[in-house]
Amino acid sequence: MYAKYLDQIIEMNKQGGGTKLPAAMKSIVSGEYEQAMLNLYTHTRKQGYHATPTSSGRVTTITRVDPGASHAISIDACMDLTSMTFVDTSGKVVDKGTLRRDNFQLDRRNGSLVISEGNSKKVATCDA
């Protein structure tokens, strides 16, 4: 599921965001995290730039952590997006990707895990 999420984040950046969540992203998010993703998509669209077609990313770490009583599973993960290059509409490089640490709470929906809450922040290293 996390690899699918990474793929969707990369694709969203290549498309330059949007005004609604694609079906593939909607299938892996719910609740407040679905709203957070919609906000990210629309913010990315407003910025007016996108990732180049050759941009990529990878999962560097993923660890299951205690979800407490309110969620099915919680994970702490890190993705390396440093191979992403962002350009404006003229093709000028405006930014580079970063390392991102994600802490997600997952719940079951229709037999599948979905991200229902979480946060993602820029980090200097994916080391624990």
Side-chain angles (χ1 to χ4, degrees), residues 28-123:
I28 58 173
V29 295
S30 72
E32 51 180 81
Y33 206 74
E34 183 173 347
Q35 185 60 50
M37 286 291 91
L38 179 58
N39 292 344
L40 177 62
Y41 270 68
T42 58
H43 176 74
T44 300
R45 173 67 60 172
K46 287 176 188 173
Q47 286 180 316
Y49 59 83
H50 63 279
T52 61
T54 58
S55 290
S56 64
R58 65 184 181 90
V59 175
T60 62
T61 61
I62 188 166
T63 306
R64 192 169 169 171
V65 295
D66 181 12
S70 60
H71 298 285
I73 295 172
S74 290
I75 61 170
D76 182 51
C78 201
M79 64 173 72
D80 181 348
L81 299 174
T82 58
S83 293
M84 295 190 75
T85 301
F86 296 92
V87 295
D88 63 17
T89 55
S90 70
K92 179 183 174 196
V93 174
V94 293
D95 205 359
K96 292 294 221 169
T98 64
L99 298 174
R100 306 285 312 178
R101 174 150 320 267
D102 299 322
N103 182 276
F104 290 153
Q105 290 72 48
L106 291 76
D107 293 309
R108 295 199 186 282
R109 181 178 68 195
N110 300 327
S112 297
L113 288 172
V114 295
I115 303 167
S116 56
E117 293 180 40
N119 61 64
S120 179
K121 62 183 178 181
K122 180 178 159 179
V123 293

